[in-house]
Amino acid sequence: MAQEVSLREAYGKTLVELGRGNPDIVVLDADLSRSTMTRFFASEFPERFFDCGIAEQNMVGIAAGLAASGKIPFASTFAVFAPGRCFDQMRMSIAQPGLNVKLVATHGGISVGQDGTSHQSIEDLALACSLPGITVIVPADAVETAQVIRAVATSYGPFYIRLCRPKSPLVYNEGYRFNLGKAVTMRQGTSATIIAIGIMVAAALEAANNLKREGINCRVLNMPTLKPIDEAAIIKAANETGAIVTAEDHLEHGGLGSAVARVVARHKPIPMEFIAINDTYAKSGTPAELLKRHGLTAKDIEQAVRSVIKRK
Amino acid sequence: MPLPESINLPITSVDKLKAEVFSSLSVTEMKMIAKRLRRHIISTIGKAGSGHPGGSLSAVEIVTALYFRILRHKPQDPQWSDRDRFILSKGHAAPLLYATLAECGYFPVDELPTLRQLDSRLQGHTDRTVTPGVEMSAGALGQGLSFAIGIALAGRLNSQNYRVYVLLGDGECDEGQVWEGAMSAAHFKLDNLVAIVDNNRQQIDGWNRDVMNLDPFNKKWQAFGWHVTEVDGHDLTQLTQAFNRAKLIKKQPTVIIAHTIKGKGVSFMENNPDFHGKAPTATEVEIALKELK
Ligand SMILES: Cc1ncc(C[n+]2csc(CCOP(=O)(O)OP(=O)(O)O)c2C)c(N)n1
């Protein structure tokens, strides 16, 4: 098993590094800086850190005003609260005017675990992707998180970046370079393609390894930029492997699976299976228990690959 | 509908205005401007066939005092980074802001009759991506104060001495986000920020006190840590004095509660909630313009 590292910590430390290099970087939080890890930035640059208290809508609006005045704001809270609680603020204060706000939400998905339904964000990607003009990114591990945070700091426009709560296995080494808008081929293969995001990338790689023993050679794509999605990589996978399984810690509606299916339906209809949460709320449990209960494990991906191949 | 030129501003004032960084018209000149703005509001909403006359008319003097006396701005350079900012949080008063910006020279007055038409730069509610001089895309009430706070914080971080003015509706203050903003502006000690409440005491469903009571309004702002002043929102002298006095308040944001009349200046629109979001008919436009001679 690869080393497990915190994405949130990678985020917090990268912010500090960016702050040292660029005085226009400012950071906002809503009384969660110890969880989102923006506190690293807060302690080094107190004058450029704004704790807005437990008032997420106000935080999103303030971030928009800072961006409209030339600052590069990173605003953080839990994904259930932004976009969840701040959808209209994201829509009118950030997305419509196309302002340079980087909303970095942590605690995405059911891998949040014991805190239960209120804290498990399973709709955030659907909400964020529904907003015209916002770029949506889901890093797969700590290495990719650091890369993504650096990339968005120098890329003008509104971004939504979703991080998970638990430490996650590294799927990249330090030499990895994130390429905005591009899928990453994690593993070549011709039997089927598994397209995954976030914590499901590690599970997809594990599934591909196990399937190899059965003679099934899966291609694995990580799709860190969920919107705009890398259509070329999906079309190529559809042409060359003839079957696709998507995997995400999010509702089946409006997330990765929906986005991939739209491309497939338009350009190269082939059989697909979807590993995602099926129109329900999760409850308390350990992350591993919940992922198992909701069918988000390597074993579930393997089963989906076997059945999608039969439909080729 | 081209505007009858019966109320012409002395040409010297217009020239002065367009040439200078900021203008300083006399109260008499501002009164003439206010009347012109009211005429624009009536004609443009009348022509569009929809829009919000009531809350546009109530804020005419507030916006006139700001743009023609208080704000440092350059209509020929809307992105000038040291400009004072005016944020219209109650975005449905867009016809008033458009008329004002046009009279200042941000875009031609001839463009005003395109209000709400397909491909017009003058959208039904303000849109900062298309209209020169518009700072915020508004229309979803409750968001403007937060946006203004962000701009005020940036000014302080950059050691720029611009000031930020944000106009709220009183009904808009039902929104929780307004009070989140109020709390944080005082917490951040933003003395470069002034909120003005167009306190016409009405919202869509009727009088504030019947729909959702805001009283004691003054005390609420005070309790949130703001310096509070109350003025007659149709008195240009009181307004300019209040704006100038606010510059002297330190370590605290100022709110100016401007007592106004919804639909002010048109007899059948005054205090009439029917004209919150309804356009006047052609006949009503005619009567209104006669009253605004
Ligand atoms: C968030 C939100 N809710 C509802 C509306 C619909 N709306 C438009 S104007 C208005 C009443 C506003 O009242 P007030 O702020 O007092 O404005 P004024 O009376 O000055 O026009 C409402 C409810 C809106 N634009 N935004």
Side-chain angles (χ1 to χ4, degrees):
Chain A
M1 193 69 175
Q3 188 195 352
E4 299 201 336
V5 184
S6 160
L7 282 69
R8 293 181 281 146
E9 202 170 309
Y11 166 52
K13 291 189 169 153
T14 308
L15 273 184
V16 173
E17 176 196 309
L18 288 171
R20 288 181 189 144
N22 186 344
D24 282 332
I25 304 268
V26 296
V27 175
L28 301 93
D29 207 301
D31 199 31
L32 287 172
S33 70
R34 289 162 195 277
S35 296
T36 64
M37 304 286 177
T38 59
R39 71 192 163 111
F40 298 136
F41 187 95
S43 51
E44 184 148 342
F45 306 105
E47 71 294 342
R48 281 194 266 150
F49 175 78
F50 303 105
D51 201 321
C52 298
I54 312 160
E56 297 79 12
Q57 302 175 355
N58 187 41
M59 174 180 76
V60 168
I62 294 177
L66 283 158
S69 317
K71 297 293 171 195
I72 307 170
F74 282 77
S76 285
T77 178
F78 291 166
V80 275
F81 307 132
R85 198 184 183 92
C86 302
F87 185 69
D88 188 24
Q89 285 74 15
M90 282 178 65
R91 179 175 186 270
M92 279 313 291
S93 287
I94 295 178
Q96 189 280 341
L99 286 169
N100 196 21
V101 175
K102 323 299 175 186
L103 197 68
V104 183
T106 67
H107 294 54
I110 56 171
S111 61
V112 160
Q114 290 88 337
D115 273 348
T117 315
S118 64
H119 282 58
Q120 295 162 350
S121 179
I122 56 175
E123 312 91 341
D124 59 311
L125 296 176
L127 288 170
C129 285
S130 75
L131 292 169
I134 289 201
T135 302
V136 179
I137 304 184
V138 188
D141 71 0
V143 171
E144 188 163 58
T145 301
Q147 288 281 318
V148 165
I149 297 305
R150 280 184 209 121
V152 302
T154 52
S155 180
Y156 191 90
F159 282 82
Y160 175 67
I161 297 142
R162 181 216 226 200
L163 306 180
C164 59
R165 185 188 72 82
K167 290 184 176 175
S168 305
L170 290 180
V171 296
Y172 289 110
N173 58 39
E174 286 298 333
Y176 169 70
R177 290 293 165 266
F178 168 72
N179 210 341
L180 184 60
K182 293 284 179 237
V184 187
T185 307
M186 307 296 290
R187 180 188 175 110
Q188 280 295 0
T190 50
S191 315
T193 301
I194 308 166
I195 305 181
I197 52 171
I199 58 161
M200 297 309 289
V201 175
L205 288 168
E206 188 188 331
N209 265 337
N210 295 340
L211 288 164
K212 180 128 192 266
R213 289 185 220 120
E214 299 170 24
I216 300 173
N217 270 314
C218 285
R219 179 176 301 184
V220 177
L221 296 183
N222 174 23
M223 193 64 78
T225 310
L226 181 55
K227 186 187 176 187
I229 204 159
D230 186 347
E231 296 204 0
I234 297 169
I235 297 167
K236 190 159 182 277
N239 279 324
E240 294 175 2
T241 71
I244 291 178
V245 172
T246 58
E248 61 198 305
D249 180 2
H250 183 270
L251 283 180
E252 189 174 301
H253 307 274
L256 173 72
S258 308
V260 172
R262 251 190 331 267
V263 178
V264 165
R266 186 174 291 141
H267 297 280
K268 178 74 186 172
I270 49 152
M272 280 187 70
E273 293 288 337
F274 304 90
I275 296 294
I277 300 156
N278 188 11
D279 203 28
T280 187
Y281 292 107
K283 301 238 184 295
S284 289
T286 66
E289 285 167 344
L290 291 174
L291 292 169
K292 186 157 181 241
R293 172 73 57 89
H294 290 275
L296 305 184
T297 66
K299 289 270 161 295
D300 297 296
I301 297 175
E302 288 161 35
Q303 198 45 49
V305 169
R306 285 186 204 105
S307 67
V308 84
I309 286 176
K310 285 197 197 116
R311 294 167 50 211
K312 264 167 78 162
Chain B
M1 184 188 315
L3 251 180
E5 287 301 304
S6 53
I7 308 158
N8 260 326
L9 196 66
I11 192 79
T12 48
S13 309
V14 177
D15 285 347
K16 189 165 75 181
L17 179 65
K18 289 187 178 165
E20 283 184 5
V21 169
F22 63 100
S23 64
S24 180
L25 299 192
S26 69
V27 168
T28 320
E29 286 170 321
M30 284 197 290
K31 276 188 180 159
M32 286 196 281
I33 293 268
K35 201 169 267 191
R36 282 177 74 89
L37 298 182
R38 286 205 162 85
R39 295 176 66 86
H40 286 313
I41 290 165
I42 296 299
S43 337
T44 56
I45 297 176
K47 174 151 194 300
S50 65
H52 300 79
S56 296
L57 291 168
S58 59
V60 165
E61 279 77 16
I62 298 167
V63 174
T64 301
L66 281 169
Y67 274 86
F68 296 91
R69 182 61 88 64
I70 300 296
L71 293 185
R72 290 170 305 162
H73 63 125
K74 294 182 189 175
Q76 309 309 335
D77 183 9
Q79 295 305 315
W80 178 41
S81 104
D82 288 325
R83 70 191 182 282
D84 288 336
R85 270 53 166 194
F86 173 70
I87 312 299
L88 180 67
S89 188
K90 41 173 273 187
H92 57 282
L96 163 61
L97 182 59
Y98 297 153
T100 309
L101 293 171
E103 287 292 346
C104 287
Y106 282 87
F107 51 83
V109 172
D110 295 349
E111 205 171 320
L112 289 176
T114 68
L115 175 70
R116 290 178 165 248
Q117 286 176 10
L118 189 64
D119 295 330
S120 169
R121 293 199 289 184
L122 309 180
Q123 294 290 295
H125 291 76
T126 53
D127 180 341
R128 79 187 298 270
T129 68
V130 293
T131 320
V134 165
E135 301 281 357
M136 182 184 181
S137 294
L141 292 169
Q143 301 193 25
L145 180 54
S146 309
F147 192 77
I149 290 166
I151 298 174
L153 286 172
R156 186 158 77 191
L157 281 174
N158 294 340
S159 307
Q160 287 176 290
N161 63 2
Y162 62 71
R163 294 178 64 74
V164 186
Y165 298 88
V166 53
L167 178 60
L168 309 171
D170 48 7
E172 182 178 11
C173 295
D174 295 353
E175 285 286 358
Q177 191 185 350
V178 170
W179 300 101
E180 294 181 4
M183 203 185 305
S184 63
H187 178 79
F188 295 135
K189 302 188 168 50
L190 292 174
D191 51 21
N192 55 353
L193 176 71
V194 176
I196 310 102
V197 180
D198 179 4
N199 196 22
N200 57 34
R201 295 171 299 133
Q202 286 195 343
Q203 50 199 107
I204 294 188
D205 285 347
W207 296 96
N208 300 154
R209 65 165 183 268
D210 299 323
V211 180
M212 183 50 61
N213 188 21
L214 291 161
D215 290 334
F217 197 52
N218 176 318
K219 290 210 178 92
K220 281 196 172 77
W221 287 97
Q222 265 172 18
F224 275 77
W226 288 58
H227 175 75
V228 188
T229 359
E230 303 202 36
V231 298
D232 173 344
H234 299 303
D235 184 324
L236 288 156
T237 308
Q238 283 191 33
L239 282 163
T240 45
Q241 280 172 356
F243 286 127
N244 282 325
R245 272 200 307 268
K247 292 178 188 164
L248 308 175
I249 304 297
K250 297 296 168 205
K251 307 260 175 231
Q252 213 185 2
T254 293
V255 59
I256 298 172
I257 300 174
H259 298 288
T260 58
I261 293 168
K262 199 153 175 171
K264 172 76 177 176
V266 177
S267 58
F268 57 91
M269 290 186 178
E270 288 193 2
N271 287 327
N272 180 357
D274 287 350
F275 278 100
H276 167 83
K278 190 180 74 165
T281 62
T283 321
E284 286 166 341
V285 168
E286 216 173 291
I287 301 169
L289 290 180
K290 250 184 221 141
E291 291 185 13
L292 292 166
K293 269 252 159 30

